[in-house]
C-alpha cells in the first residue's frame, strides 16, 4: 500500500490546486519534496555490526524549522517518508503553525531490540541527522510517531546537547520529550485530544453534518469503531467515551478485534493491553482474531488511528460509518476518498483531525525557547484578581459568590489548562476556516478539498511574500 502513498497525497493535492489561481510552476514547487537524506549507519551490538537505514525528508522550508515525527517501523520506505513530510507541511499551514514540513523513519522493528540497544541505535541516528543539518531547534525538529515515544525523543535531545552544549536552546531540537526532560503537559494525549476536538467541531456544525442524518450536538451515544490502540487511538477512544458519551463498539488491533455493543471500557482495556500486549483475553468484550473486514463493522463513526492506506477501493463501499475521522496519516487512498464522497460519508481529513500532536509540539518548542513555563508570570496575579472580583461582588450584592469554591476560577491556570485551551482554539479556528472555504467553493467540495486549498494558499502566500 505504501508504494502509492505519495501518489495518493499528490493526487489529492493536484485536485485541490486545480481550483486555485497560482503563478505558473508554483503548485509544483510546493508539492515536490525539497530534500531527502538517506543514511546507512553501523552499530556494534550483540558482538557484531548491524547496519540500519534511515531517512529524513524535508518537504518544505517556507517556515523554519521543518517539523514532523520520526517513525521506527520495519517496512518504511522513502516514498512513505516523503508523503508523510508533505502532509506535515500541509497540516502546519492549515492550522497556522510557523513550521515547514518534515518526516523521518528508521527501518527497524523496535520490538526486536532491548531498550539499551535502541538507545545506542537512536543516538547514532541522531548523530547522522545532526551532522547533515537535519536536526536542530532552528532547522529541523522531530517528534514521536509510530514506534517512537518520549524516551526516543529524550535520547535524541540528550545526544544533541552533548554535541552542541553551547546551544542554549538545545532542548528545542525535538518535541514530545518527557516532562522532566523539557517536555510539556498534555503532549502525550495531544493527538487523541485533537481528534476529540475535531469530532466535536463536526457535531457542532449543522452544515457539515448535512447528509449524515445526525443532529447537531448528538455525539453522545454515537457508536464508534477505532482502528489502532496505540497512543492516538487509545486517547481518542478514552476522551470520546468518557467525556462525550460515545460508545466505543469495536477496537481493532494487530491480533484481532474486540467488540462490545454496550461500549468498551477503555481504561480497563488499556490496562489489559499494556500487560498482555494484545486485545485477546479481555473480559469486557467479545474477541475475534479475524480483524480483516472489521473496519466495515456497523457504526456511526470510524476512526482509523493506525496505518496509511487502510480504507481503499476494495472496502470503501462497505464502510458503514457516516463519519470517518482520520486520526492516522493517510488512512484513506484517493480512490477510496472519491467513493466515500460519492456515498455522502463525511471525512474529517488527517491533516486537520490529527493536527493536535504537532500543535502541542509547537507549544513545547516555544516553551523550550522561552525557558519559562507557560502561565508562570500571570498565574498568581490572575488568581488574586479573581478573588478580588468575587469579594467585590459579594460586598456589592450581599450574596455569596457562587464560584468562590471553584478552583478553576480561584486559582490561575496550570500548564495543562493553557495547553488544552490553546489546542482547542487552534482546532476550532481551523475547522471554521475549512468549513467556510468549503462553503465558498463549488457544491461538491469535501472537507479535505477545502483543507488542501487553505494549506496550498497559505504556503503559496509565504513563497510569494519572499518573491518566489
Ligand atoms: N508525528 C506527529 C504527526 O504526524 C507529530 C509531529 C510533530 O509533533 O512534530 O503529526
Amino acid at each position: 500500500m505504501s508504494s502509492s502513498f505519495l501518489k495518493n497525497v499528490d493526487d489529492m493535492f493536484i485536485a485541490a490546486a486545480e481550483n486555485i489561481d497560482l503563478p505558473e510552476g508554483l503548485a509544483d514547487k510546493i508539492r515536490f519534496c525539497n530534500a531527502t537524506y538517506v543514511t546507512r549507519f553501523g552499530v556494534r551490538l550483540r558482538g557484531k555490526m548491524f547496519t540500519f537505514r534511515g531517512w529524513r525528508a524535508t518537504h518544505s522550508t517556507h517556515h523554519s524549522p521543518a517539523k514532523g515525527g520520526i517513525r521506527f517501523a520495519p517496512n518504511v520506505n522513502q516514498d512513505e517518508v516523503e508523503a508523510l513530510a508533505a502532509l506535515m507541511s500541509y497540516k502546519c499551514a492549515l492550522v497556522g503553525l510557523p513550521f515547514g514540513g518534515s518526516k523521518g523513519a528508521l527501518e527497524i522493528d523496535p520490538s526486536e531490540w532491548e531498550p539499551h540497544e535502541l538507545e545506542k541505535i537512536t543516538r547514532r541516528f541522531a548523530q547522522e541527522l545532526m551532522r547533515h543539518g537535519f536536526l536542530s531547534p532552528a532547522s529541523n525538529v522531530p517528534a514521536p510517531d509510530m514506534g517512537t515515544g518520549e524516551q526516543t525523543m529524550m535520547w535524541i535531545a540528550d545526544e544533541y546537547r552533548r554535541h552542541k552544549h553551547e546551544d542554549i536552546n538545545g532542548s528545542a531540537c525535538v518535541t514530545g520529550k518527557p516532562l522532566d526532560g523539557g517536555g510539556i503537559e498534555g503532549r502525550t494525549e495531544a493527538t487523541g485530544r485533537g481528534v476529540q476536538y475535531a469530532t466535536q467541531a463536526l457535531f457542532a456544525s449543522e452544515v457539515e453534518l448535512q447528509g449524515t442524518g445526525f443532529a447537531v450536538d448528538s455525539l453522545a451515544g454515537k457508536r464508534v469503531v477505532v482502528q489502532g490502540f496505540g497512543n492516538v487511538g487509545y486517547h481518542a477512544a478514552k476522551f470520546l467515551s468518557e467525556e462525550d458519551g460515545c460508545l466505543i463498539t469495536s477496537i481493532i488491533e494487530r491480533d484481532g478485534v474486540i467488540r462490545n455493543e454496550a461500549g468498551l471500557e477503555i481504561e480497563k482495556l488499556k490496562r489489559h493491553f499494556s500487560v498482555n500486549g494484545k486485545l485477546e483475553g479481555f473480559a469486557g468484550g467479545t474477541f475475534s482474531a479475524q480483524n480483516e473486514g472489521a473496519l466495515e463493522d456497523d457504526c456511526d463513526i470510524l476512526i482509523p488511528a493506525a496505518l496509511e492506506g487502510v480504507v481503499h477501493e476494495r472496502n470503501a463501499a462497505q464502510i458503514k460509518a457516516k463519519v470517518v475521522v482520520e486520526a492516522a496519516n493517510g488512512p484513506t487512498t484517493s480512490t477510496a476518498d472519491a467513493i466515500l464522497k460519492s456515498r455522502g460519508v463525511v471525512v474529517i481529513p488527517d491533516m486537520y483531525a490529527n493536527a493536535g500532536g504537532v500543535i502541542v509540539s509547537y507549544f513545547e518548542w516555544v516553551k523550550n525557547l522561552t525557558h519559562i513555563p507557560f502561565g508562570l508570570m500571570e498565574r498568581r496575579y490572575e488568581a488574586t484578581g479573581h478573588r478580588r472580583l468575587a469579594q467585590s461582588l459579594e460586598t456589592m450584592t450581599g450574596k455569596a459568590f457562587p464560584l468562590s469554591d471553584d478552583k478553576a476560577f480561584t486559582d490561575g491556570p496550570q500548564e495543562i489548562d493553557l495547553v488544552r485551551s490553546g489546542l482547542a482554539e487552534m482546532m476550532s479556528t481551523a475547522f471554521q476556516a475549512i468549513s467556510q472555504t468549503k462553503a465558498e467553493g463549488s457544491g461538491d467540495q469535501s472537507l479535505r478539498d477545502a483543507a488542501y486549498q487553505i494549506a496550498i494558499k497559505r504556503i503559496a502566500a509565504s513563497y510569494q511574500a519572499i518573491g518566489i
Side-chain angles (χ1 to χ4, degrees):
M1 212 60 64
S2 58
S3 64
S4 61
F5 186 15
L6 185 57
K7 188 176 177 315
N8 280 307
V9 174
D10 277 350
D11 284 351
M12 294 180 192
F13 177 100
I14 291 165
E18 270 166 14
N19 294 314
I20 309 172
D21 189 21
L22 292 175
E24 174 95 43
L26 187 54
D28 280 350
K29 158 84 193 98
I30 295 170
R31 183 166 63 86
F32 293 138
C33 184
N34 250 355
T36 304
Y37 167 60
V38 191
T39 172
R40 291 170 194 84
F41 58 88
V43 187
R44 184 164 289 284
L45 297 159
R46 303 177 188 177
K48 65 177 207 178
M49 188 63 102
F50 288 86
T51 301
F52 296 91
R53 187 158 55 141
W55 296 264
R56 185 78 180 162
T58 299
H59 175 262
S60 69
T61 52
H62 62 291
H63 287 302
S64 285
K67 190 82 189 77
I70 289 188
R71 62 175 52 176
F72 284 5
N75 41 23
V76 280
N77 56 54
Q78 185 165 337
D79 177 282
E80 175 180 330
V81 175
E82 290 186 0
L84 290 163
L87 280 174
M88 283 310 303
S89 295
Y90 309 146
K91 192 185 307 190
C92 292
L94 171 68
V95 296
L97 297 176
F99 291 142
S102 185
K103 202 78 171 201
L106 189 66
E107 196 176 21
I108 189 174
D109 181 349
S111 68
E112 286 177 0
W113 300 94
E114 297 295 324
H116 70 275
E117 295 171 322
L118 277 175
E119 173 176 359
K120 231 174 145 181
I121 299 163
T122 304
R123 286 182 184 274
R124 275 290 288 116
F125 190 27
Q127 287 167 18
E128 292 302 317
L129 294 175
M130 208 184 312
R131 205 171 294 160
H132 294 87
F134 284 84
L135 175 69
S136 91
S139 64
N140 198 313
V141 180
D145 200 84
M146 210 179 281
T148 57
E150 55 179 33
Q151 177 65 80
T152 332
M153 298 306 120
M154 200 59 229
W155 289 328
I156 297 176
D158 188 53
E159 197 60 30
Y160 181 87
R161 286 193 311 226
R162 277 188 195 188
H163 287 80
K164 312 265 181 182
H165 45 86
E166 288 293 328
D167 185 349
I168 186 73
N169 295 320
S171 279
C173 76
V174 72
T175 58
K177 300 179 290 295
L179 261 184
D180 293 329
I184 193 166
E185 298 267 10
R187 175 61 185 85
T188 308
E189 66 167 46
T191 313
R193 185 61 81 182
V195 169
Q196 177 198 25
Y197 290 165
T199 314
Q200 287 173 346
L202 176 75
F203 275 80
S205 166
E206 197 176 339
V207 177
E208 303 310 338
L209 282 174
Q210 257 167 32
T212 61
F214 298 148
V216 173
D217 292 334
S218 66
L219 199 44
K222 288 284 170 291
R223 295 159 62 245
V224 183
V225 170
V226 180
Q227 182 194 39
F229 202 49
N231 180 39
V232 180
Y234 156 65
H235 279 108
K238 174 182 169 67
F239 298 142
L240 284 169
S241 59
E242 291 176 1
E243 297 176 15
D244 297 296
C246 291
L247 302 176
I248 313 297
T249 48
S250 309
I251 288 195
I252 310 163
E253 254 295 332
R254 281 193 199 91
D255 70 311
V257 48
I258 189 105
R259 299 184 172 97
N260 186 339
E261 268 305 303
L264 291 156
E265 284 189 68
I266 300 305
E267 271 314 306
K268 283 191 185 156
L269 181 61
K270 168 72 174 167
R271 274 197 294 281
H272 170 89
F273 193 66
S274 306
V275 173
N276 302 286
K278 53 183 183 177
L279 299 175
E280 190 179 4
F282 179 61
T286 313
F287 176 78
S288 161
Q290 175 65 36
N291 55 12
E292 184 104 14
L295 288 175
E296 298 153 36
D297 278 6
D298 193 36
C299 66
D300 300 310
I301 303 171
L302 171 64
I303 305 186
L307 289 170
E308 55 263 16
V310 294
V311 181
H312 42 68
E313 61 194 67
R314 297 177 304 287
N315 64 4
Q318 284 80 256
I319 299 287
K320 310 284 183 305
K322 281 274 161 224
V323 170
V324 176
V325 188
E326 294 185 334
N329 286 308
T332 311
T333 65
S334 49
T335 321
D337 198 42
I339 298 171
L340 294 177
K341 190 171 171 180
S342 70
R343 295 182 52 225
V345 177
V346 174
V347 178
I348 308 187
D350 49 4
M351 75 174 80
Y352 168 66
N354 70 33
V358 71
I359 291 175
V360 178
S361 275
Y362 170 56
F363 302 154
E364 179 178 333
W365 180 74
V366 171
K367 175 184 172 181
N368 294 153
L369 295 180
T370 54
H371 302 268
I372 186 166
F374 283 110
L376 174 69
M377 301 299 277
E378 54 272 57
R379 186 172 305 129
R380 192 162 293 253
Y381 186 78
E382 276 186 24
T384 311
H386 287 176
R387 266 198 305 275
R388 278 196 180 146
L389 178 68
Q391 279 159 5
S392 310
L393 286 169
E394 284 178 347
T395 314
M396 281 163 66
T397 60
K399 290 183 190 155
F401 186 73
L403 289 179
S404 51
D405 287 333
D406 184 339
K407 283 186 87 56
F409 180 79
T410 52
D411 297 356
Q414 300 295 317
E415 186 170 79
I416 186 69
D417 304 317
L418 295 168
V419 164
R420 287 186 185 146
S421 150
L423 175 60
E425 168 64 19
M426 294 193 89
M427 291 298 291
S428 152
T429 306
F431 190 85
Q432 282 160 23
I434 297 171
S435 188
Q436 190 176 335
T437 301
K438 179 170 166 278
E440 286 161 6
S442 62
D444 71 336
Q445 280 214 325
S446 64
L447 293 171
R448 191 190 317 275
D449 297 326
Y452 262 102
Q453 282 178 25
I454 296 170
I456 296 168
K457 278 187 192 160
R458 290 199 180 147
I459 299 174
S462 45
Y463 279 127
Q464 284 171 310
I466 49 173
I468 293 180

